[in-house]
Protein backbone atom coordinates (compact mmCIF):
# COMPACT_ATOMS: atom_id res chain seq x y z
CA UNK A 1 0.00 0.00 0.00
CA UNK A 2 1.01 3.63 -0.27
CA UNK A 3 2.51 5.01 2.87
CA UNK A 4 3.82 8.53 3.11
CA UNK A 5 6.89 7.54 5.08
CA UNK A 6 9.54 10.25 5.57
CA UNK A 7 11.92 8.28 3.41
CA UNK A 8 10.20 6.54 0.57
CA UNK A 9 13.06 4.38 -0.66
CA UNK A 10 12.49 0.71 0.02
CA UNK A 11 13.69 -2.64 -1.22
CA UNK A 12 11.52 -5.39 -2.65
CA UNK A 13 12.79 -8.94 -2.85
CA UNK A 14 11.27 -11.04 -5.60
CA UNK A 15 11.37 -14.83 -5.70
CA UNK A 16 11.73 -16.60 -9.03
CA UNK A 17 8.77 -16.23 -11.42
CA UNK A 18 7.20 -13.50 -9.31
CA UNK A 19 6.34 -9.95 -10.24
CA UNK A 20 6.08 -6.63 -8.48
CA UNK A 21 2.97 -4.81 -9.69
CA UNK A 22 2.93 -1.11 -9.22
CA UNK A 23 0.82 1.88 -10.13
CA UNK A 24 2.59 5.23 -9.88
CA UNK A 25 0.65 7.87 -7.99
CA UNK A 26 -1.42 10.32 -10.08
CA UNK A 27 0.76 13.31 -9.34
CA UNK A 28 4.31 12.19 -8.81
CA UNK A 29 6.81 10.13 -10.75
CA UNK A 30 8.15 6.87 -9.40
CA UNK A 31 11.74 5.67 -9.47
CA UNK A 32 12.82 2.10 -9.55
CA UNK A 33 16.09 0.20 -9.98
CA UNK A 34 17.41 -3.32 -10.05
CA UNK A 35 19.84 -4.15 -7.25
CA UNK A 36 20.52 -7.87 -7.65
CA UNK A 37 19.46 -10.63 -10.03
CA UNK A 38 17.71 -10.07 -13.34
CA UNK A 39 14.26 -8.69 -14.06
CA UNK A 40 12.21 -7.43 -16.96
CA UNK A 41 9.37 -5.01 -17.53
CA UNK A 42 6.90 -6.32 -20.12
CA UNK A 43 9.59 -8.35 -21.88
CA UNK A 44 12.45 -5.86 -21.72
CA UNK A 45 15.29 -6.56 -19.32
CA UNK A 46 16.05 -3.69 -17.00
CA UNK A 47 19.68 -2.66 -16.52
CA UNK A 48 21.30 -3.16 -13.11
CA UNK A 49 21.79 -0.20 -10.75
CA UNK A 50 20.33 2.48 -13.01
CA UNK A 51 17.28 4.38 -11.72
CA UNK A 52 14.33 4.29 -14.10
CA UNK A 53 11.83 7.12 -13.69
CA UNK A 54 8.21 6.38 -14.50
CA UNK A 55 5.69 9.14 -15.18
CA UNK A 56 2.71 9.56 -12.83
CA UNK A 57 -0.13 7.03 -13.25
CA UNK A 58 2.00 4.48 -15.09
CA UNK A 59 1.02 0.91 -14.32
CA UNK A 60 3.58 -1.81 -14.75
CA UNK A 61 5.09 -5.03 -13.48
CA UNK A 62 8.69 -5.99 -12.79
CA UNK A 63 8.95 -9.71 -13.44
CA UNK A 64 11.85 -11.99 -12.62
CA UNK A 65 12.55 -15.46 -14.00
CA UNK A 66 15.26 -16.32 -11.47
CA UNK A 67 14.85 -13.89 -8.56
CA UNK A 68 15.81 -10.26 -8.03
CA UNK A 69 15.91 -7.42 -5.58
CA UNK A 70 14.65 -4.05 -6.65
CA UNK A 71 14.59 -0.67 -4.99
CA UNK A 72 11.58 1.62 -5.28
CA UNK A 73 11.49 5.34 -4.56
CA UNK A 74 8.28 7.33 -4.37
CA UNK A 75 4.70 6.92 -3.28
CA UNK A 76 2.50 4.61 -5.27
CA UNK A 77 -1.20 4.31 -5.87
CA UNK A 78 -0.90 0.58 -5.22
CA UNK A 79 1.89 -1.95 -5.20
CA UNK A 80 2.14 -5.63 -4.37
CA UNK A 81 4.03 -8.76 -5.24
CA UNK A 82 2.30 -11.56 -7.15
CA UNK A 83 3.53 -15.12 -7.42
CA UNK A 84 0.85 -16.21 -9.87
CA UNK A 85 1.36 -14.94 -13.40
CA UNK A 86 0.67 -16.33 -16.87
CA UNK A 87 4.26 -15.52 -17.92
CA UNK A 88 5.27 -19.15 -18.51
CA UNK A 89 2.43 -19.63 -20.98
CA UNK A 90 3.33 -16.36 -22.69
CA UNK A 91 6.99 -17.27 -23.06
CA UNK A 92 5.97 -20.67 -24.40
CA UNK A 93 4.06 -18.87 -27.15
CA UNK A 94 7.20 -16.88 -27.82
CA UNK A 95 9.21 -20.09 -28.16
CA UNK A 96 6.77 -21.46 -30.73
CA UNK A 97 6.87 -18.19 -32.68
CA UNK A 98 10.65 -18.19 -32.52
CA UNK A 99 10.82 -21.68 -34.03
CA UNK A 100 8.51 -20.56 -36.82
CA UNK A 101 10.70 -17.53 -37.52
CA UNK A 102 13.74 -19.79 -37.77
CA UNK A 103 11.90 -22.07 -40.15
CA UNK A 104 10.88 -19.08 -42.28
CA UNK A 105 14.43 -17.77 -42.34
CA UNK A 106 15.67 -21.16 -43.52
CA UNK A 107 13.30 -21.14 -46.50
CA UNK A 108 14.18 -18.05 -48.51
CA UNK A 109 12.71 -17.93 -51.97
CA UNK A 110 9.63 -19.96 -51.08
CA UNK A 111 6.92 -17.31 -50.84
CA UNK A 112 4.80 -19.22 -48.33
CA UNK A 113 7.41 -20.93 -46.20
CA UNK A 114 9.55 -17.77 -45.88
CA UNK A 115 6.71 -15.98 -44.12
CA UNK A 116 7.19 -15.81 -40.37
CA UNK A 117 4.28 -15.90 -37.92
CA UNK A 118 1.57 -13.27 -38.21
CA UNK A 119 0.20 -13.03 -34.72
CA UNK A 120 -2.97 -11.18 -33.83
CA UNK A 121 -3.82 -10.53 -30.18
CA UNK A 122 -7.52 -10.27 -29.41
CA UNK A 123 -9.68 -10.01 -26.30
CA UNK A 124 -12.02 -7.74 -24.37
CA UNK A 125 -10.93 -4.36 -23.03
CA UNK A 126 -8.39 -4.53 -20.25
CA UNK A 127 -7.33 -8.09 -20.91
CA UNK A 128 -3.69 -7.16 -21.42
CA UNK A 129 -3.53 -7.21 -25.25
CA UNK A 130 -1.14 -4.29 -25.61
CA UNK A 131 1.05 -5.70 -22.87
CA UNK A 132 1.23 -9.18 -24.39
CA UNK A 133 1.97 -7.69 -27.82
CA UNK A 134 4.77 -5.70 -26.27
CA UNK A 135 6.28 -8.73 -24.53
CA UNK A 136 6.22 -10.84 -27.68
CA UNK A 137 7.87 -8.03 -29.65
CA UNK A 138 10.54 -7.35 -27.05
CA UNK A 139 11.43 -11.03 -26.61
CA UNK A 140 11.72 -11.38 -30.39
CA UNK A 141 13.84 -8.22 -30.71
CA UNK A 142 16.11 -9.45 -27.94
CA UNK A 143 16.89 -12.45 -30.12
CA UNK A 144 17.75 -10.24 -33.05
CA UNK A 145 14.48 -10.41 -34.99
CA UNK A 146 12.86 -7.25 -36.31
CA UNK A 147 9.16 -8.05 -36.09
CA UNK A 148 6.61 -5.53 -37.31
CA UNK A 149 4.22 -4.16 -34.73
CA UNK A 150 0.78 -3.32 -36.07
CA UNK A 151 -1.59 -1.40 -33.83
CA UNK A 152 -5.22 -1.44 -34.90
CA UNK A 153 -6.50 -0.01 -31.61
CA UNK A 154 -7.61 3.50 -32.54
CA UNK A 155 -8.89 4.12 -29.03
CA UNK A 156 -5.51 4.28 -27.33
CA UNK A 157 -2.66 4.17 -29.79
CA UNK A 158 0.68 2.83 -28.62
CA UNK A 159 2.55 3.80 -31.80
CA UNK A 160 1.20 7.27 -32.35
CA UNK A 161 -1.74 9.42 -31.27
CA UNK A 162 -5.26 7.97 -30.88
CA UNK A 163 -7.52 7.86 -33.92
CA UNK A 164 -4.90 6.12 -36.05
CA UNK A 165 -3.88 2.66 -37.11
CA UNK A 166 -0.16 2.24 -37.53
CA UNK A 167 2.76 -0.10 -38.03
CA UNK A 168 6.44 0.08 -37.22
CA UNK A 169 9.35 -2.37 -37.13
CA UNK A 170 10.61 -3.17 -33.64
CA UNK A 171 14.37 -3.47 -33.74
CA UNK A 172 15.18 -3.35 -30.03
CA UNK A 173 13.32 -4.46 -26.91
CA UNK A 174 10.76 -1.75 -26.15
CA UNK A 175 11.94 0.77 -23.59
CA UNK A 176 9.90 0.33 -20.38
CA UNK A 177 9.62 4.09 -19.89
CA UNK A 178 9.71 5.59 -23.37
CA UNK A 179 7.57 2.94 -25.06
CA UNK A 180 7.71 2.45 -28.79
CA UNK A 181 10.13 4.72 -30.64
CA UNK A 182 8.21 7.14 -32.82
CA UNK A 183 10.81 7.18 -35.61
CA UNK A 184 9.04 6.61 -38.89
CA UNK A 185 5.86 4.67 -38.32
CA UNK A 186 3.46 3.98 -41.15
CA UNK A 187 0.29 5.75 -40.01
CA UNK A 188 -3.26 5.95 -41.34
CA UNK A 189 -5.69 8.45 -39.88
CA UNK A 190 -9.24 7.43 -39.03
CA UNK A 191 -9.79 10.54 -36.99
CA UNK A 192 -12.08 9.07 -34.34
CA UNK A 193 -11.41 7.10 -31.20
CA UNK A 194 -13.91 4.40 -32.06
CA UNK A 195 -14.29 2.74 -35.45
CA UNK A 196 -18.07 2.78 -35.02
CA UNK A 197 -18.13 6.40 -36.17
CA UNK A 198 -17.07 5.21 -39.62
CA UNK A 199 -16.71 1.46 -39.92
CA UNK A 200 -16.16 1.43 -43.67
CA UNK A 201 -13.32 3.91 -43.42
CA UNK A 202 -11.72 1.77 -40.72
CA UNK A 203 -11.86 -1.25 -42.99
CA UNK A 204 -10.45 0.69 -45.93
CA UNK A 205 -7.52 1.87 -43.82
CA UNK A 206 -6.83 -1.61 -42.44
CA UNK A 207 -6.71 -2.86 -46.04
CA UNK A 208 -4.35 -0.09 -47.12
CA UNK A 209 -2.01 -0.74 -44.22
CA UNK A 210 -2.00 -4.49 -44.85
CA UNK A 211 -1.37 -3.91 -48.52
CA UNK A 212 1.67 -1.70 -47.92
CA UNK A 213 3.12 -4.13 -45.37
CA UNK A 214 2.62 -7.00 -47.81
CA UNK A 215 4.64 -5.07 -50.37
CA UNK A 216 7.37 -4.28 -47.86
CA UNK A 217 7.57 -7.91 -46.80
CA UNK A 218 7.87 -9.02 -50.41
CA UNK A 219 11.10 -7.05 -50.70
CA UNK A 220 12.53 -7.71 -47.27
CA UNK A 221 13.25 -11.29 -46.26
CA UNK A 222 14.36 -10.28 -42.78
CA UNK A 223 11.12 -8.58 -41.78
CA UNK A 224 9.14 -11.24 -43.63
CA UNK A 225 10.67 -14.00 -41.51
CA UNK A 226 10.25 -12.01 -38.29
CA UNK A 227 6.54 -11.63 -39.05
CA UNK A 228 4.19 -9.35 -37.21
CA UNK A 229 2.35 -8.86 -33.96
CA UNK A 230 -1.02 -7.15 -34.36
CA UNK A 231 -2.74 -5.49 -31.42
CA UNK A 232 -6.50 -5.01 -31.68
CA UNK A 233 -9.32 -3.15 -29.96
CA UNK A 234 -11.27 -4.39 -26.99
CA UNK A 235 -14.53 -4.10 -28.91
CA UNK A 236 -15.41 -7.74 -29.55
CA UNK A 237 -19.20 -7.65 -29.89
CA UNK A 238 -21.27 -7.20 -33.06
CA UNK A 239 -19.40 -4.86 -35.43
CA UNK A 240 -16.32 -5.09 -33.24
CA UNK A 241 -16.28 -8.85 -33.77
CA UNK A 242 -16.80 -8.39 -37.49
CA UNK A 243 -13.82 -6.03 -37.57
CA UNK A 244 -11.69 -8.64 -35.80
CA UNK A 245 -12.55 -11.19 -38.46
CA UNK A 246 -11.81 -8.59 -41.10
CA UNK A 247 -8.37 -7.93 -39.59
CA UNK A 248 -7.54 -11.65 -39.26
CA UNK A 249 -8.46 -12.10 -42.88
CA UNK A 250 -6.86 -8.93 -44.27
CA UNK A 251 -3.49 -9.50 -42.60
CA UNK A 252 -3.58 -13.25 -43.25
CA UNK A 253 -2.97 -13.88 -39.57
CA UNK A 254 -1.59 -17.32 -38.78
CA UNK A 255 -1.79 -17.21 -35.00
CA UNK A 256 -4.75 -15.77 -33.10
CA UNK A 257 -4.05 -15.27 -29.40
CA UNK A 258 -7.26 -14.87 -27.41
CA UNK A 259 -6.87 -13.28 -24.01
CA UNK A 260 -9.27 -13.87 -21.20
CA UNK A 261 -12.47 -14.82 -22.96
CA UNK A 262 -13.69 -18.34 -23.46
CA UNK A 263 -16.64 -17.35 -25.62
CA UNK A 264 -14.62 -15.27 -28.07
CA UNK A 265 -12.09 -18.07 -28.32
CA UNK A 266 -14.65 -20.73 -29.18
CA UNK A 267 -16.38 -18.43 -31.66
CA UNK A 268 -13.09 -17.78 -33.45
CA UNK A 269 -12.13 -21.44 -33.36
CA UNK A 270 -15.42 -22.24 -34.96
CA UNK A 271 -15.25 -19.70 -37.81
CA UNK A 272 -11.60 -20.47 -38.50
CA UNK A 273 -11.84 -24.25 -38.26
CA UNK A 274 -11.51 -24.72 -42.01
CA UNK A 275 -8.34 -22.70 -42.18
CA UNK A 276 -5.65 -25.23 -41.37
CA UNK A 277 -2.94 -22.55 -41.40
CA UNK A 278 -4.52 -20.52 -38.60
CA UNK A 279 -4.01 -21.48 -34.97
CA UNK A 280 -6.37 -20.09 -32.36
CA UNK A 281 -4.79 -20.17 -28.92
CA UNK A 282 -6.48 -19.26 -25.65
CA UNK A 283 -4.31 -17.53 -23.08
CA UNK A 284 -5.00 -16.58 -19.52
CA UNK A 285 -5.34 -12.92 -18.66
CA UNK A 286 -2.84 -11.65 -16.10
CA UNK A 287 -4.26 -10.75 -12.71
CA UNK A 288 -2.11 -7.65 -12.89
CA UNK A 289 -3.93 -6.01 -15.76
CA UNK A 290 -5.54 -2.88 -14.43
CA UNK A 291 -9.02 -1.87 -15.58
CA UNK A 292 -9.23 1.65 -16.82
CA UNK A 293 -12.50 3.56 -16.92
CA UNK A 294 -13.67 5.95 -19.62
CA UNK A 295 -12.28 8.94 -17.80
CA UNK A 296 -8.86 7.37 -17.42
CA UNK A 297 -8.83 6.42 -21.10
CA UNK A 298 -9.78 9.96 -22.07
CA UNK A 299 -6.88 11.23 -19.97
CA UNK A 300 -4.48 8.75 -21.53
CA UNK A 301 -5.55 9.86 -24.99
CA UNK A 302 -4.96 13.45 -24.10
CA UNK A 303 -1.51 12.55 -22.73
CA UNK A 304 -0.64 10.76 -25.95
CA UNK A 305 -1.42 13.88 -27.96
CA UNK A 306 0.61 16.00 -25.58
CA UNK A 307 3.46 13.54 -25.88
CA UNK A 308 3.35 13.77 -29.67
CA UNK A 309 3.98 17.51 -29.59
CA UNK A 310 6.02 17.99 -26.43
CA UNK A 311 7.69 14.63 -25.82
CA UNK A 312 7.33 12.37 -22.82
CA UNK A 313 9.33 14.67 -20.57
CA UNK A 314 8.90 17.97 -22.41
CA UNK A 315 11.99 17.19 -24.44
CA UNK A 316 10.52 18.29 -27.78
CA UNK A 317 9.95 21.88 -28.87
CA UNK A 318 6.92 22.14 -31.14
CA UNK A 319 6.60 25.23 -33.25
CA UNK A 320 3.71 27.65 -33.49
CA UNK A 321 3.00 28.59 -37.11
CA UNK A 322 0.63 31.06 -38.73
CA UNK A 323 -1.08 30.43 -42.07
CA UNK A 324 -3.64 32.22 -44.19
CA UNK A 325 -7.05 30.57 -44.43
CA UNK A 326 -6.41 30.12 -48.12
CA UNK A 327 -3.17 28.18 -47.48
CA UNK A 328 -4.88 25.23 -45.79
CA UNK A 329 -6.84 22.56 -47.65
CA UNK A 330 -8.81 20.72 -44.98
CA UNK A 331 -11.05 17.75 -45.67
CA UNK A 332 -13.37 15.57 -43.68
CA UNK A 333 -13.95 11.95 -44.59
CA UNK A 334 -17.43 10.48 -44.55
CA UNK A 335 -20.61 11.96 -43.24
CA UNK A 336 -21.59 14.85 -45.41
CA UNK A 337 -25.18 15.68 -46.24
CA UNK A 338 -27.43 12.65 -46.26
CA UNK A 339 -30.14 12.07 -48.79
CA UNK A 340 -33.48 12.92 -47.19
CA UNK A 341 -35.58 9.89 -46.30
CA UNK A 342 -38.33 11.14 -48.61
CA UNK A 343 -36.01 10.82 -51.59
CA UNK A 344 -35.29 7.15 -50.94
CA UNK A 345 -37.22 4.02 -51.87
CA UNK A 346 -39.57 2.84 -49.12
CA UNK A 347 -37.70 0.92 -46.42
CA UNK A 348 -34.26 2.18 -47.41
CA UNK A 349 -32.19 3.89 -44.74
CA UNK A 350 -30.45 7.13 -45.63
CA UNK A 351 -26.73 6.49 -45.63
CA UNK A 352 -23.91 8.93 -46.00
CA UNK A 353 -21.07 7.77 -48.19
CA UNK A 354 -18.49 6.72 -45.60
CA UNK A 355 -15.47 7.51 -47.73
CA UNK A 356 -16.75 10.66 -49.31
CA UNK A 357 -14.44 13.67 -49.00
CA UNK A 358 -15.90 17.00 -47.97
CA UNK A 359 -13.83 20.19 -48.06
CA UNK A 360 -13.97 22.04 -44.75
CA UNK A 361 -14.34 25.80 -44.63
CA UNK A 362 -12.45 27.39 -41.78
CA UNK A 363 -14.94 27.61 -38.94
CA UNK A 364 -15.00 27.83 -35.17
CA UNK A 365 -15.26 24.05 -34.76
CA UNK A 366 -11.68 23.74 -35.95
CA UNK A 367 -10.35 25.45 -32.86
CA UNK A 368 -8.40 22.88 -30.77
CA UNK A 369 -8.84 20.25 -33.46
CA UNK A 370 -5.97 17.86 -34.12
CA UNK A 371 -5.60 17.47 -37.89
CA UNK A 372 -3.56 14.91 -39.79
CA UNK A 373 -1.18 15.98 -42.55
CA UNK A 374 -1.71 13.63 -45.47
CA UNK A 375 0.99 12.48 -47.87
CA UNK A 376 -1.63 12.63 -50.64
CA UNK A 377 -0.73 14.73 -53.65
CA UNK A 378 -4.29 14.99 -54.93
CA UNK A 379 -7.53 15.06 -52.90
CA UNK A 380 -8.66 11.74 -54.35
CA UNK A 381 -5.56 10.08 -52.85
CA UNK A 382 -6.40 11.19 -49.31
CA UNK A 383 -8.29 8.05 -48.30
CA UNK A 384 -5.55 5.71 -49.46
CA UNK A 385 -2.58 7.76 -48.25
CA UNK A 386 -0.74 7.49 -44.99
CA UNK A 387 -0.10 10.57 -42.93
CA UNK A 388 3.13 12.40 -42.12
CA UNK A 389 2.06 13.77 -38.77
CA UNK A 390 -0.36 16.07 -37.01
CA UNK A 391 -1.02 19.71 -36.29
CA UNK A 392 -3.11 21.30 -33.58
CA UNK A 393 -5.19 24.42 -34.24
CA UNK A 394 -4.59 26.95 -31.46
CA UNK A 395 -6.15 30.13 -32.80
CA UNK A 396 -8.42 31.28 -35.59
CA UNK A 397 -8.62 34.97 -36.43
CA UNK A 398 -11.60 35.55 -38.66
CA UNK A 399 -10.79 39.21 -39.22
CA UNK A 400 -7.30 38.81 -40.56
CA UNK A 401 -8.21 35.34 -41.90
CA UNK A 402 -5.24 33.75 -40.22
CA UNK A 403 -4.98 30.47 -38.43
CA UNK A 404 -2.38 29.55 -35.83
CA UNK A 405 -1.34 25.95 -35.31
CA UNK A 406 1.19 23.93 -33.42
CA UNK A 407 3.37 21.54 -35.43
CA UNK A 408 6.27 19.33 -34.37
CA UNK A 409 8.65 21.65 -36.17
CA UNK A 410 8.91 24.98 -37.98
CA UNK A 411 8.74 25.34 -41.72
CA UNK A 412 6.28 24.17 -44.30
CA UNK A 413 4.08 21.15 -43.72
CA UNK A 414 5.10 17.83 -45.29
CA UNK A 415 1.87 17.71 -47.26
CA UNK A 416 -0.75 20.06 -48.60
CA UNK A 417 -3.90 18.25 -47.51
CA UNK A 418 -5.15 18.12 -43.95
CA UNK A 419 -7.75 15.75 -42.54
CA UNK A 420 -10.16 16.66 -39.77
CA UNK A 421 -11.73 13.95 -37.67
CA UNK A 422 -13.25 14.38 -34.24
CA UNK A 423 -10.01 14.63 -32.25
CA UNK A 424 -10.03 17.68 -30.03
CA UNK A 425 -7.30 18.45 -27.55
CA UNK A 426 -7.15 21.01 -24.77
CA UNK A 427 -3.70 21.55 -23.43
CA UNK A 428 -3.85 20.45 -19.80
P1 LIG B 1 -7.43 -2.10 -24.15
O1 LIG B 1 -8.74 -2.26 -23.54
O2 LIG B 1 -7.02 -0.65 -24.20
O3 LIG B 1 -7.27 -2.76 -25.45
P2 LIG B 1 -5.48 -4.01 -23.19
O4 LIG B 1 -6.26 -5.25 -23.21
O5 LIG B 1 -4.54 -3.76 -24.32
O6 LIG B 1 -6.43 -2.77 -23.06
P3 LIG B 1 -3.24 -3.40 -21.54
O7 LIG B 1 -3.10 -2.01 -22.06
O8 LIG B 1 -2.24 -4.39 -21.97
O9 LIG B 1 -4.70 -3.94 -21.82
O10 LIG B 1 -3.25 -3.40 -19.95
C1 LIG B 1 -4.03 -2.50 -19.19
C2 LIG B 1 -3.18 -1.82 -18.13
O11 LIG B 1 -2.70 -2.77 -17.19
C3 LIG B 1 -1.94 -1.11 -18.68
O12 LIG B 1 -1.79 0.12 -18.02
C4 LIG B 1 -0.81 -2.05 -18.34
O13 LIG B 1 0.41 -1.37 -18.18
C5 LIG B 1 -1.29 -2.67 -17.05
N1 LIG B 1 -0.77 -4.03 -16.84
C6 LIG B 1 -0.81 -5.06 -17.70
N2 LIG B 1 -0.27 -6.17 -17.16
C7 LIG B 1 0.12 -5.82 -15.91
C8 LIG B 1 0.74 -6.53 -14.82
N3 LIG B 1 1.07 -7.81 -14.92
N4 LIG B 1 0.97 -5.84 -13.70
C9 LIG B 1 0.64 -4.54 -13.58
N5 LIG B 1 0.05 -3.83 -14.54
C10 LIG B 1 -0.20 -4.45 -15.70
Amino acid sequence: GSTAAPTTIRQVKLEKECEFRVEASPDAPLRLRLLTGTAEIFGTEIPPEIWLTFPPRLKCAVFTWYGATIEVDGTTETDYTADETPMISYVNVHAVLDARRNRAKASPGDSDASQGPRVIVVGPTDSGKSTLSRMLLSWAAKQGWKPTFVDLDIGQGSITIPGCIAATPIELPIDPVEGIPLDMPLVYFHGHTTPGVNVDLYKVLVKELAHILERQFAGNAESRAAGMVINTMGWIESIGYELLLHAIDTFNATVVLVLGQEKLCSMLKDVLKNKSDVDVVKLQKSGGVVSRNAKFRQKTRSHRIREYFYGLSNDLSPHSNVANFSDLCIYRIGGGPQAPRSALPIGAEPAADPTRLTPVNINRDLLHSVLAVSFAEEPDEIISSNVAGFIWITNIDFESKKITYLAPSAGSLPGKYLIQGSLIWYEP
Side-chain angles (χ1 to χ4, degrees):
S2 52
T3 43
T7 167
T8 57
I9 298 196
R10 66 223 143 87
Q11 289 188 1
V12 180
K13 192 168 164 9
L14 291 172
E15 300 299 330
K16 82 186 245 284
E17 288 164 28
C18 289
E19 70 183 18
F20 176 66
R21 294 173 181 162
V22 61
E23 213 177 313
S25 81
D27 34 43
L30 181 79
R31 299 198 312 153
L32 193 149
R33 68 172 173 170
L34 176 67
L35 288 180
T36 64
T38 53
E40 55 183 53
I41 293 178
F42 300 150
T44 301
E45 268 192 70
I46 55 176
E49 298 292 328
I50 298 167
W51 283 106
L52 304 174
T53 305
F54 294 96
R57 301 173 327 123
L58 190 113
K59 308 166 197 308
C60 81
V62 183
F63 177 85
T64 179
W65 292 104
Y66 306 108
T69 313
I70 54 175
E71 203 164 46
V72 186
D73 176 21
T75 51
T76 63
E77 188 75 8
T78 54
D79 66 68
Y80 65 99
T81 300
D83 58 4
E84 255 177 61
T85 78
M87 292 295 276
I88 302 252
S89 61
Y90 293 178
V91 87
N92 284 341
V93 169
H94 162 71
V96 171
L97 300 177
D98 202 50
R100 292 195 184 181
R101 291 186 180 109
N102 279 317
R103 235 184 295 150
K105 194 180 171 185
S107 329
D110 180 327
S111 73
D112 279 337
S114 64
Q115 174 59 61
R118 294 184 174 195
V119 185
I120 185 163
V121 184
V122 306
T125 47
D126 297 319
S127 55
K129 297 178 296 296
S130 315
T131 306
L132 176 61
S133 304
R134 197 165 155 158
M135 286 191 263
L136 295 173
L137 290 160
S138 289
W139 287 331
K142 186 183 170 190
Q143 276 166 296
W145 300 107
K146 293 178 182 165
T148 300
F149 177 40
V150 179
D151 194 2
L152 301 182
D153 185 358
I154 61 175
Q156 300 291 307
S158 34
I159 297 181
T160 183
I161 68 166
C164 300
I165 62 168
T168 190
I170 301 297
E171 308 196 339
L172 291 170
I174 297 163
D175 188 288
V177 180
E178 302 279 327
I180 294 176
L182 296 172
D183 301 347
M184 275 294 278
L186 181 60
V187 180
Y188 289 85
F189 187 65
H190 183 266
H192 310 281
T193 53
T194 162
V197 177
N198 191 336
V199 174
D200 292 86
L201 176 62
Y202 183 84
K203 285 187 178 171
V204 168
L205 300 180
V206 166
K207 266 198 193 141
E208 287 294 337
L209 177 60
H211 178 68
I212 298 292
L213 290 180
E214 206 69 68
R215 273 209 336 234
Q216 290 182 353
F217 277 7
N220 185 336
E222 193 185 13
S223 50
R224 190 172 170 79
M228 44 184 152
V229 176
I230 306 164
N231 181 37
T232 62
M233 301 169 287
W235 188 21
I236 55 167
E237 309 285 333
S238 64
I239 300 167
Y241 177 69
E242 209 184 281
L243 290 176
L244 280 185
L245 294 180
H246 178 257
I248 292 170
D249 186 49
T250 310
F251 283 96
N252 290 311
T254 52
V255 180
V256 183
L257 300 178
V258 189
L259 273 173
Q261 222 212 42
E262 206 85 40
K263 180 178 151 208
L264 178 63
C265 186
S266 69
M267 279 165 76
L268 289 172
K269 273 196 169 140
D270 198 48
V271 271
L272 298 168
K273 65 174 179 279
N274 295 327
K275 294 199 168 181
S276 58
D277 55 340
V278 185
D279 295 318
V280 180
V281 180
K282 191 179 72 191
L283 287 170
Q284 200 195 325
K285 163 183 165 175
S286 166
V289 179
V290 187
S291 304
R292 295 154 301 166
N293 58 23
K295 194 168 155 221
F296 186 93
R297 283 168 191 273
Q298 174 53 42
K299 270 212 176 126
T300 313
R301 283 200 276 271
S302 162
H303 279 274
R304 282 302 280 177
I305 297 174
R306 173 165 228 296
E307 191 186 335
Y308 174 79
F309 290 106
Y310 292 97
L312 193 63
S313 41
N314 281 325
D315 47 333
L316 302 179
S317 345
H319 198 269
S320 187
N321 301 270
V322 181
N324 296 313
F325 281 12
S326 56
D327 295 342
L328 300 184
C329 305
I330 307 174
Y331 285 86
R332 289 188 71 94
I333 305 173
Q338 301 187 341
R341 209 174 274 271
S342 59
L344 293 169
I346 290 167
E349 282 297 312
D353 178 357
T355 53
R356 167 199 166 118
L357 281 174
T358 323
V360 175
N361 293 320
I362 307 288
N363 64 76
R364 265 171 230 293
D365 288 348
L366 278 167
L367 190 61
H368 299 131
S369 250
V370 178
L371 309 181
V373 184
S374 177
F375 275 126
E377 284 174 1
E378 297 297 334
D380 64 2
E381 293 172 3
I382 290 177
I383 304 273
S384 59
S385 295
N386 55 322
V387 301
F390 309 93
I391 64 168
W392 179 50
I393 308 292
T394 53
N395 191 47
I396 305 176
D397 184 337
F398 288 92
E399 245 162 59
S400 63
K401 296 201 179 328
K402 287 198 186 294
I403 194 159
T404 313
Y405 63 87
L406 197 70
S409 58
S412 59
L413 293 172
K416 181 169 167 206
Y417 298 107
L418 301 171
I419 316 169
Q420 182 191 13
S422 56
L423 285 186
I424 301 281
W425 182 54
Y426 302 98
E427 198 166 6

